[in-house]
């Protein structure tokens, strides 16, 4: 239950009394943000995370608690411009809102080869996703688009890595469409195994249909692995995909547009290569983990000084 955090109040207070921190930084405006706001007023920061703003605040009580936590914070960090804009209605006058995106480790998320072989037009093209099997991530849309490619006799395979409440429904859908031989389900993996999974893909697809997708870190990780990425033009996803430079942005839920975009990439290995390495450059230029950490620590230093 979301309110169970409140029972940790005394325990956390004891820890703060012992440590006597100069800064308390809560990640997530609800739960941890509420605890931090109740316990610490000196230099209290909050990082909004996504669903704590876009989804949780639809509940009137949670909305009040979020406003309270953000009012107590000296600085609120957001992972995307989209999320920052969504946060503004919950802020009091004069609040400082900083956008510091999620970063990727370019060494961990790095393709095994310095260059991918462009001459692979006769190989099966692997289309993949690592998003959970939940309604908001739009996996049924991806399956429908993939089915058209199979019907058009393209040498393609769809790999769905993850788990979720829609799994059995998705498996039945694939069976009913006669796609069992062309679609592979793989269990969800820990984050450290994601680079190895992405290395097996040729195209990464992020067909989300909900604005609670406030950043698109999965798309960024795929770009860092030099994969061309197709993502929905929704939420924060457009901030991490440069249309026609690192991949393509498509209308969420539109099977026809997704099909045509996939077809373009399946037919052209050189285009996949160019977009993939464009994405790698984007990730290195704007989203390197160390740079993002430094942006936060600079803020810490400014306040302490």
């Amino acid at each position: 239950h979301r309110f169970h955090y409140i029972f940790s109040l005394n325990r956390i207070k004891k820890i703060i009394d012992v440590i006597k921190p100069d800064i308390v930084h809560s990640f997530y405006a609800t739960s941890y943000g509420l605890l931090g706001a109740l316990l610490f007023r000196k230099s209290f920061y909050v990082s909004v995370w996504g669903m704590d703003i876009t989804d949780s605040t639809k509940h009137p009580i949670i909305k009040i608690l979020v406003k309270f936590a953000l009012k107590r914070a000296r600085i609120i960090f957001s992972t995307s411009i989209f999320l920052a804009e969504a946060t503004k209605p919950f802020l009091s006058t004069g609040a400082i809102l900083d956008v510091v995106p999620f970063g990727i480790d370019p060494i961990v998320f790095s393709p095994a080869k310095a260059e991918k072989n462009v001459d692979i037009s006769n190989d099966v093209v692997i289309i993949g996703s690592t998003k959970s099997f939940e309604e908001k991530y739009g996996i049924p849309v991806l399956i429908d688009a993939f089915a058209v490619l199979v019907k058009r006799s393209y040498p393609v395979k769809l790999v769905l890595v993850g788990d979720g409440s829609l799994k059995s429904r998705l498996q039945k859908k694939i069976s009913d469409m006669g796609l069992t031989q062309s679609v592979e389900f793989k269990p969800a993996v820990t984050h450290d195994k994601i680079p190895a999974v992405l290395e097996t893909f040729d195209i990464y697809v992020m067909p989300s249909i909900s604005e609670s997708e406030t950043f698109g870190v999965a798309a960024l990780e795929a770009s860092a692995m030099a994969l061309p990425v197709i993502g929905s033009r929704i939420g924060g996803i457009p901030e991490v995909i440069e249309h026609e430079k690192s991949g393509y942005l498509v209308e969420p839920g539109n099977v026809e547009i997704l099909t045509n975009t996939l077809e373009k990439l399946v037919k052209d290995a050189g285009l996949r290569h160019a977009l993939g390495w464009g994405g790698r450059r984007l990730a290195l230029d704007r989203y390197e983990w160390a740079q993002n950490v430094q942006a936060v620590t600079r803020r810490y230093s400014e306040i302490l000084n």
Side-chain angles (χ1 to χ4, degrees):
H1 193 279
R2 66 180 65 185
F3 292 110
H4 76 276
Y5 292 93
I6 206 70
F7 297 108
S8 302
L9 198 61
N10 287 333
R11 187 163 51 130
I12 296 175
K13 184 179 185 304
K14 290 178 181 177
I15 294 172
I16 287 178
D17 288 343
V18 171
I19 298 174
K20 294 181 174 58
D22 295 302
I23 292 172
V24 167
H25 188 163
S26 293
F27 290 80
Y28 223 71
T30 58
S31 58
Y32 299 117
L34 175 60
L35 291 177
L38 289 170
L39 293 172
F40 200 78
R41 301 188 187 185
K42 183 182 176 183
S43 292
F44 171 56
Y45 299 173
V46 172
S47 283
V48 292
W49 213 244
M51 290 181 64
D52 51 341
I53 299 298
T54 60
D55 292 22
S56 296
T57 52
K58 293 174 183 176
H59 190 293
I61 295 177
I62 301 298
K63 183 176 180 179
I64 292 170
L65 296 179
V66 166
K67 284 186 173 182
F68 170 76
L70 298 182
K71 186 175 182 179
R72 287 287 182 89
R74 297 189 68 173
I75 298 177
I76 298 103
F77 291 101
S78 168
T79 55
S80 69
I81 296 171
F82 170 81
L83 182 55
E85 290 300 317
T87 304
K88 285 181 179 179
F90 305 102
L91 301 183
S92 57
T93 304
I96 299 174
L97 184 59
D98 262 8
V99 176
V100 179
F102 287 117
I104 51 94
D105 186 329
I107 297 175
V108 174
F109 284 91
S110 176
K113 300 176 183 177
E115 292 283 339
K116 287 192 174 183
N117 182 10
V118 179
D119 187 22
I120 56 173
S121 55
N122 294 322
D123 290 348
V124 173
V125 177
I126 308 298
I127 300 165
S129 169
T130 56
K131 299 301 293 183
S132 299
F133 305 147
E134 303 296 343
E135 199 71 46
K136 65 181 180 179
Y137 294 124
I139 302 300
V141 179
L142 173 56
I143 293 171
D144 288 339
F146 176 78
V148 178
L149 297 182
V150 173
K151 189 175 181 179
R152 293 176 183 172
S153 300
Y154 286 107
V156 290
K157 180 180 179 180
L158 178 61
V159 178
L160 301 174
V161 181
D163 205 347
S165 62
L166 297 185
K167 184 172 183 178
S168 59
R169 195 193 311 176
L170 294 178
Q171 289 174 325
K172 184 179 186 304
K173 178 182 177 73
I174 287 165
S175 177
D176 292 346
M177 298 175 79
L179 296 173
T180 306
Q181 299 301 313
S182 301
V183 180
E184 181 180 2
F185 281 88
K186 290 187 176 182
V189 299
T190 55
H191 189 253
D192 62 307
K193 300 293 194 303
I194 290 292
V197 170
L198 294 175
E199 188 68 35
T200 66
F201 295 170
D202 296 301
I203 302 168
Y204 188 86
V205 187
M206 195 168 179
S208 302
I209 58 174
S210 170
E211 288 193 341
S212 64
E213 192 77 79
T214 54
F215 180 70
V217 68
L220 181 60
E221 290 171 348
S223 287
M225 295 293 293
L227 289 175
V229 180
I230 301 174
S232 298
R233 195 185 295 274
I234 196 169
I237 297 175
E239 295 179 40
V240 295
I241 299 175
E242 286 194 328
H243 186 64
E244 297 184 339
K245 292 183 179 180
S246 68
Y248 294 101
L249 292 166
V250 298
E251 181 184 346
N254 192 312
V255 174
E256 182 180 1
I257 293 177
L258 179 55
T259 301
N260 294 340
T261 307
L262 278 168
E263 184 176 37
K264 185 186 299 185
L265 286 173
V266 167
K267 290 166 61 176
D268 193 338
L271 180 61
R272 297 198 301 271
H273 178 273
L275 293 176
W277 286 92
R280 172 75 178 170
R281 287 190 293 273
L282 170 70
L284 294 178
D285 288 345
R286 301 184 192 172
Y287 298 103
E288 190 169 351
W289 177 256
Q291 295 174 359
N292 298 331
V293 170
Q294 288 172 7
V296 176
T297 56
R298 275 197 301 270
R299 270 300 193 182
Y300 289 167
S301 298
E302 288 171 9
I303 295 297
L304 293 177
N305 290 335

